[in-house]
Amino acid sequence: MVAPASPFLGADVDGIRIRDLVESRDETVVKSLRKALDQFLVLRFRQPALDDDEIVGFASLFGAILSDRKNSEEMASLQPTGRAELKVLSSAFTPDGRPIGDKGTAAQIWHTDGSHRDTPNAYSVLYARKAPDNPPHTGFMSSYTLYEKLSADLKNEISNLRAVFSIHNRSQDLSNFLTGPSLDEERRAEGPRHPLVRLHPTTNRPFLYLPRRRDALIESYSAEQSRYLLERLWAAVFSLDEQWQVALRPNDFVIFDNRAVLHNREGWQSNQERTVFHLALEGEVPIPAFAPRTIGSDGT
């Protein structure tokens, strides 16, 4: 059973045991979950503890897994199977002081995973292994809704624009996003060009697709024009209160449509341990939602 978890997006899934699904690989159940993802964008499962093979096995039902780990030693002490696919988001350290994961405890800005890739991630999976007594919230926001709520003038302006999704990703740290230093234009121009308005490949709905860098460049725009446009788009993000805020607790398992969802995360005290496994699933080259405009011989 799939039950809405908020008025805006997100749903809780009950009656499906991930362990059993990984073993059976029941395509009918997988198709029903894909349909639910198209409708609700984010699905949460609350189950008994899962091992590494079960986490990876479930994710693989939804596509090829991309390796996002920073180094091969990451989480070695906590991963008995050593599954290389599992990226670790953690505030914990090894006895000799090395971080076992990345991202730290700082609050993170709204973003999509892997947007700097030529083929960005389709889905993302999160599995909470450890959490503080008062876990930080992970927020989810529909990029469909973001686009729908833009003014007609702004929709028209961005309908055929492409942004540079720089390979020099700006940190997701909230304070760095707001006040951190910029990069020179040459480095900001290094990366794929994706449409600001993407078409979802299965729902055929348009949605806003934002680069992570606040100082990203827009094709055919100057750096100043790019910044002005992006400030207006980010203002729409920060003003949208139609969100689902989730406090991930141990053994919570979440899968979400990374294309059409922005997510963020609260910070927490550095002396409290939080360890979350992350998996990225292969996607497709972004599809522009609108055909390029053509200019006739009369200039119209």
Side-chain angles (χ1 to χ4, degrees):
M1 182 178 71
V2 179
S6 85
F8 313 116
L9 75 164
D12 283 309
V13 181
D14 193 21
I16 296 176
R17 284 176 57 87
I18 288 177
R19 182 173 289 116
D20 295 340
L21 181 58
V22 170
E23 183 175 343
S24 70
R25 303 187 72 84
D26 188 325
E27 194 58 37
T28 300
V29 176
V30 175
K31 285 181 179 179
S32 70
L33 291 175
R34 285 183 179 275
K35 185 176 180 180
L37 277 167
D38 283 344
Q39 179 179 358
F40 296 105
L41 300 177
V42 187
L43 301 179
R44 177 175 60 184
F45 300 77
R46 286 183 156 160
Q47 309 250 316
L50 300 172
D51 63 29
D52 296 354
D53 290 339
E54 290 163 344
I55 298 166
V56 173
F58 177 84
S60 69
L61 297 173
F62 294 84
I65 296 173
L66 301 169
S67 179
D68 256 350
R69 286 175 61 161
K70 283 191 170 181
N71 63 75
S72 59
E73 296 178 352
E74 190 174 75
M75 273 296 284
S77 63
L78 297 182
Q79 283 189 143
T81 61
R83 294 300 300 248
E85 303 94 331
L86 289 169
K87 180 178 180 179
V88 184
L89 312 177
S90 181
S91 57
F93 292 86
T94 61
D96 60 357
R98 292 180 296 112
I100 62 174
D102 64 2
K103 305 303 181 189
T105 63
Q108 292 182 5
I109 193 68
W110 292 103
H111 64 281
T112 56
D113 295 330
S115 58
H116 62 289
R117 301 178 187 271
D118 290 325
T119 55
N121 314 358
Y123 299 107
S124 288
V125 169
L126 300 173
Y127 177 75
R129 177 58 58 82
K130 293 185 178 181
D133 292 336
N134 185 24
H137 286 80
T138 298
F140 297 98
M141 177 188 295
S142 167
S143 296
Y144 295 130
T145 304
L146 269 173
Y147 174 73
E148 290 162 1
K149 289 185 173 291
L150 295 177
S151 68
D153 287 346
L154 195 48
K155 285 181 182 176
N156 183 62
E157 181 177 356
I158 67 174
S159 61
N160 293 120
L161 292 178
R162 290 179 176 268
V164 180
F165 285 67
S166 175
I167 59 175
H168 306 288
N169 258 348
R170 197 167 197 160
S171 167
Q172 294 158 218
D173 183 289
L174 176 61
S175 62
N176 188 46
F177 176 85
L178 295 174
T179 61
S182 182
L183 286 176
D184 59 69
E185 284 192 43
E186 183 177 354
R187 296 182 71 193
R188 280 183 280 157
E190 294 175 352
R193 275 66 173 161
H194 296 319
L196 282 173
V197 188
R198 281 182 67 176
L199 188 72
H200 196 282
T202 59
T203 67
N204 291 314
R205 294 175 63 190
F207 61 92
L208 182 63
Y209 196 59
L210 282 173
R212 283 190 185 180
R213 297 195 65 90
R214 190 180 181 187
D215 56 358
L217 300 174
I218 308 295
E219 282 190 339
S220 79
Y221 276 35
S222 68
E224 291 75 17
Q225 290 171 322
S226 299
R227 183 62 179 262
Y228 177 66
L229 174 58
L230 286 169
E231 289 295 325
R232 293 159 67 198
L233 295 175
W234 277 107
V237 174
F238 291 129
S239 65
L240 186 67
D241 58 5
E242 298 180 12
Q243 308 168 14
W244 184 33
Q245 296 288 328
V246 181
L248 292 176
R249 300 183 183 280
N251 303 325
D252 279 359
F253 196 106
V254 172
I255 182 170
F256 60 94
D257 188 330
N258 178 65
R259 296 161 293 199
V261 169
L262 287 171
H263 62 286
N264 72 356
R265 193 203 64 205
E266 294 176 334
W268 71 97
Q269 293 181 359
S270 59
N271 62 349
Q272 296 180 332
E273 182 179 344
R274 179 181 188 263
T275 296
V276 173
F277 292 167
H278 173 273
L279 286 163
L281 302 181
E282 192 172 65
E284 63 286 322
V285 175
I287 307 166
F290 303 102
R293 297 192 187 107
T294 57
I295 299 176
S297 59
D298 61 354
T300 61

